[in-house]
Amino acid sequence: MELTTITYYQVSYVEGFLAVVRYTAYNPDGLPEAICEDFYRDDPDDFCRLEEDVEKALLNGIDTSIMSAYEQDYFPVITAFLQL
C-alpha cells in the first residue's frame, strides 16, 4: 500500500486568496512524475473546488501540501484527512 501525505501550513493572509495547493504525483519508482500548483480564490465556489480537489487527489495517491491563512478546521474535508 502506498502512503499519501497531506500537509497543512498556516501562512499570512493575502487579499483575495483562500489557499495555494501543491499536488505531487509519483511514479512507481518513487520519483516525482508531476507537480502542479493551484491557486484558490477566497469565494464560495473555490472553497468547494478546493475541498473537492484535495479529496480527489488524496484518494488517488497524490500528495497534497496546502497553504492558507485560515485555520485548518475552517475546511471540514481537509480537517478530516489531517486527522486520519
Side-chain angles (χ1 to χ4, degrees), residues 42-62:
D42 197 356
D43 64 37
D45 288 337
D46 267 13
F47 179 92
C48 293
R49 186 171 70 89
L50 168 65
E51 294 252 283
E52 291 169 5
D53 289 353
V54 168
E55 181 176 33
K56 191 182 307 180
L58 293 169
L59 293 176
N60 286 287
I62 298 171

Side-chain angles (χ1 to χ4, degrees), residues 24-43:
T24 307
Y26 295 89
N27 66 26
D29 296 328
L31 299 173
E33 184 170 299
I35 300 170
C36 77
E37 280 188 351
D38 203 348
F39 294 82
Y40 297 84
R41 295 179 317 271
D42 197 356
D43 64 37

